[in-house]
């Protein structure tokens, strides 16, 4: 099942102070952004901000997110969340 088919999960477009529910790995066969299919060599990566699943290319940024209690170590975020989190 693709993410788009799963109407039960929608990331909150407004930034909140709670960590998002991660999309289940078993439900994701393709990158949410570029639609590249995941394989044994092309791994899935969850964005710590929105909880969606991306390939390395579409989630290559890391930032600290104090609002989600990621204070000390930068964590992986997708390109869209990275643009939204920049100050």
């Amino acid at each position: 099942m693709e993410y788009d088919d799963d109407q039960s999960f929608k990331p909150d477009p407004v930034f909140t102070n709670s960590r998002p529910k991660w999309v289940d790995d078993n439900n994701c066969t393709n990158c949410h952004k570029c639609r590249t299919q995941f394989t044994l060599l092309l791994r899935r990566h969850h964005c710590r901000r929105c909880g969606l699943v991306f390939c390395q290319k579409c989630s290559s940024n890391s930032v600290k997110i104090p609002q989600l209690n990621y204070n000390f170590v930068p964590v992986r975020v997708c390109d869209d969340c990275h643009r939204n989190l920049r100050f």
Side-chain angles (χ1 to χ4, degrees):
M1 171 171 54
E2 294 295 320
Y3 167 76
D4 294 334
D5 298 335
D6 182 5
Q7 298 301 316
S8 65
F9 176 80
K10 295 291 181 191
D12 186 358
V14 178
F15 191 82
T16 62
N17 288 337
S18 61
R19 291 185 181 182
K21 175 183 172 191
W22 281 14
V23 173
D24 186 3
D25 284 348
N26 296 327
N27 292 337
C28 295
T29 57
N30 299 8
C31 173
H32 182 72
K33 184 172 182 181
C34 71
R35 299 291 185 208
T36 300
Q37 186 170 7
F38 296 120
T39 66
L40 289 175
L41 299 177
L42 185 64
R43 298 182 52 211
R44 296 171 176 87
H45 299 281
H46 283 89
C47 173
R48 294 334 189 249
R49 166 58 186 95
C50 67
L52 299 175
V53 179
F54 298 90
C55 66
Q56 166 67 29
K57 186 183 113 194
C58 296
S59 63
S60 61
N61 299 294
S62 296
V63 295
K64 294 178 185 177
I65 311 174
Q67 298 91 335
L68 299 181
N69 208 21
Y70 295 118
N71 298 321
F72 304 107
V73 178
V75 293
R76 181 181 298 271
V77 293
C78 67
D79 293 344
D80 291 336
C81 286
H82 185 256
R83 274 192 296 278
N84 292 333
L85 289 171
R86 285 192 289 170
F87 298 91

